[in-house]
Amino acid sequence: MKILAIESSCDETSAAVIEDGTKIISNVISSSKDLHEKTGGIIPEIAAREQVKCIIPVIQEALNKLDLEEGLSNDRKYLNLINKHIDSLAITIGPGLIGSLLVGIETAKTIAFVTGKPIIPVNHIFAHIYANFLLEQIPQFPALALVVSGGHTELFLLNSHQQIKWLGGTLDDAAGECFDKTARILGLGFPGGPAIATEAEEFRKQSTHTLQLTTHNKIRLPRPMIDDESFNFSFSGLKTAVLREVKNLQTTQQLNNGAMEQLKHKSNYPLNKLTIQQLSYEIEESITDVLVDKTLRAAQKYCVKSILVGGGVAANRRLTEKFNQQSAINNQQFKLYVPPPLLCTDNAAYIGSFAYFHNSPVPWQEIKAVPDLEVEV
Ligand code: KG4
Ligand code: ZN
């Protein structure tokens, strides 16, 4: 079964053709990230305007992989390809930005109307988990899923594709949001996650050359809710702690040090480069400590066979490293799945995989954007 999946919930526009929920035939992604880098965050109207421009070319490019016959280059080429090869459509209906969601949804509905193909509505957050069903080995149930993205930090228990139980989530800011907001405080680029990870890596390299991290790294940030019994998270306190730390450090450095260095984007709190790297290191350590600790505790409690990590923050290398280290120390018996970075951040491939395993089409007239679609089931 081949599904044409479309994703446009945030600043990415993506279309993919997925076979039997596990094989990627094509996965085309267009991002307006560069435009948002200038403003240090996503401006919804700019994202949607860019998506209107690129949605059709992105879908066409995804379909081109199906064009195995020479000479199929008339006006109806793409409708012919859909009619001939595609069994069903899949579309993200939420959560996400209303303008962005509508671009994908209205396009998908039009294709469904014209071709008569069934259309499957998809919850973007659940779908992030399914990037792990596009890897070499199919995960086994029961599985624990950690979805860590720009807007969500959620833990789910999957006993089967149909039995997904929400265990907990963030009470305030998401992990990705914390990376983005603290990166902004430090004057680093957008998105903040990769920017913080790069600075943290620099600090790690320097520290191994000079002193041990433990003595060298004097800045210590909190690990919010790490000892809390529940599977909930909270990251807004970490952002406040960074702000407080930065203000203190700035005052000290201004007194001690004339040369202030600001990085790529102007920060309101100019600090020297080493301090920015040191803070980035501690932010990454704090967020990953909490995520790994809670996830492994849940894995142990529910005796799962697999841990599935998904969402943009899953692209963080330190997170995977820590999962591997900690599970080895605790001698835990599960297999860890982490998709390659391109499948962690937003793309239509996992939308198509989710739709295959949750194949519940609805009439196109009933498909609507739900910007605040829930995940608590
Ligand atoms: O899943 P995603 O692409 O979009 C949403 O659905 O939100 O996630 C985007 C988030 C951003 O907050 C970004 O800073 C974070 O994922 N991110 C990372 C990394 N790459 C992206 N966070 C930490 N380390 C990374 N390497
Ligand atoms: Zn996402």
Side-chain angles (χ1 to χ4, degrees):
M1 177 183 181
K2 288 197 188 76
I3 293 180
L4 170 62
I6 299 171
E7 152 65 38
S8 70
S9 63
C10 197
D11 58 333
E12 270 87 17
T13 310
S14 178
V17 176
I18 302 299
E19 188 165 4
D20 296 337
T22 54
K23 186 175 165 215
I24 301 174
I25 293 176
S26 62
N27 185 23
V28 180
I29 306 161
S30 166
S31 174
S32 54
K33 183 167 102 341
D34 294 350
L35 292 174
H36 307 300
E37 210 175 336
K38 291 186 193 128
T39 48
I42 295 168
I43 311 264
E45 288 76 12
I46 293 181
R49 221 175 293 147
E50 288 306 302
Q51 286 165 318
V52 169
K53 285 189 224 157
C54 69
I55 184 101
I56 299 293
V58 164
I59 294 172
Q60 288 177 337
E61 201 181 323
L63 289 169
N64 275 336
K65 273 277 168 69
L66 298 171
D67 186 8
L68 307 172
E69 298 159 32
E70 294 296 321
L72 255 182
S73 61
N74 56 50
D75 289 349
R76 292 187 57 84
K77 168 179 170 174
Y78 294 102
L79 286 179
N80 286 340
L81 286 173
I82 293 172
N83 280 326
K84 195 167 163 195
H85 298 285
I86 297 295
D87 299 288
S88 191
L89 306 166
I91 178 69
T92 302
I93 58 158
L97 304 169
I98 181 71
S100 296
L101 287 167
L102 282 173
V103 174
I105 288 174
E106 293 310 313
T107 311
K109 283 165 78 167
T110 308
I111 298 172
F113 169 69
V114 174
T115 61
K117 297 288 175 186
I119 180 165
I120 304 163
V122 173
N123 181 320
H124 178 92
I125 301 304
F126 289 132
H128 260 302
I129 302 169
Y130 280 74
N132 294 291
F133 287 85
L134 294 161
L135 310 180
E136 230 161 72
Q137 217 180 332
I138 302 289
Q140 287 192 346
F141 295 118
L144 189 81
L146 171 71
V147 178
V148 263
S149 68
H152 285 261
T153 305
E154 317 283 351
L155 267 176
F156 299 101
L157 176 66
L158 286 82
N159 283 315
S160 68
H161 289 294
Q162 270 60 47
Q163 278 186 295
I164 304 181
K165 185 171 178 245
W166 181 79
L167 300 179
T170 185
L171 304 175
D172 40 57
D173 289 356
E177 196 175 353
C178 186
F179 271 118
D180 293 337
K181 286 180 175 171
T182 52
R184 200 173 177 157
I185 295 172
L186 298 182
L188 302 171
F190 178 85
I196 295 258
T198 305
E199 298 302 321
E201 188 52 30
E202 275 308 308
F203 181 72
R204 228 170 264 123
K205 273 191 217 152
Q206 289 186 34
S207 306
T208 43
H209 288 310
T210 53
L211 291 161
Q212 288 300 306
L213 278 179
T214 42
T215 52
H216 191 79
N217 179 36
K218 291 200 199 88
I219 300 171
R220 175 82 185 166
L221 293 171
R223 269 59 176 162
M225 289 184 79
I226 199 161
D227 296 321
D228 182 86
E229 288 284 292
S230 77
F231 295 118
N232 289 326
F233 302 85
S234 164
F235 290 106
S236 73
L238 183 58
K239 175 194 65 196
T240 315
V242 170
L243 196 55
R244 198 169 41 237
E245 200 69 48
V246 160
K247 282 181 179 166
N248 288 341
L249 285 163
Q250 186 198 14
T251 315
T252 325
Q253 288 190 1
Q254 271 170 347
L255 292 172
N256 298 339
N257 180 359
M260 291 295 160
E261 191 163 358
Q262 294 186 27
L263 292 183
K264 215 163 150 196
H265 291 269
K266 293 236 173 345
S267 164
N268 289 331
Y269 310 100
L271 295 165
N272 70 48
K273 199 162 185 150
L274 183 65
T275 309
I276 289 174
Q277 289 168 351
Q278 199 175 0
L279 273 162
S280 299
Y281 166 83
E282 189 55 18
I283 292 166
E284 191 182 51
E285 287 301 303
S286 167
I287 295 175
T288 50
D289 273 352
V290 176
L291 294 176
V292 170
D293 195 271
K294 293 238 169 192
T295 307
L296 293 185
R297 201 142 35 84
Q300 208 154 22
K301 177 171 177 184
Y302 294 101
C303 301
V304 297
K305 290 187 180 149
S306 322
I307 289 187
L308 319 177
V309 193
V313 179
N316 185 277
R317 292 221 324 258
R318 183 75 182 123
L319 182 67
T320 305
E321 196 176 270
K322 240 177 224 179
F323 263 125
N324 284 324
Q325 281 169 356
Q326 287 304 318
S327 45
I329 291 170
N330 302 335
N331 196 21
Q332 284 178 316
Q333 304 295 320
F334 51 73
K335 187 164 163 42
L336 176 72
Y337 292 80
V338 183
L342 211 66
L343 291 180
C344 290
T345 47
D346 288 352
N347 69 89
Y350 59 72
I351 302 297
S353 174
F354 178 90
Y356 174 81
F357 291 107
H358 300 258
N359 189 353
S360 313
V362 302
W364 65 263
Q365 295 90 335
E366 288 173 23
I367 302 255
K368 289 192 173 47
V370 190
D372 53 356
L373 191 60
E374 300 275 337
V375 289
E376 296 174 35
V377 287

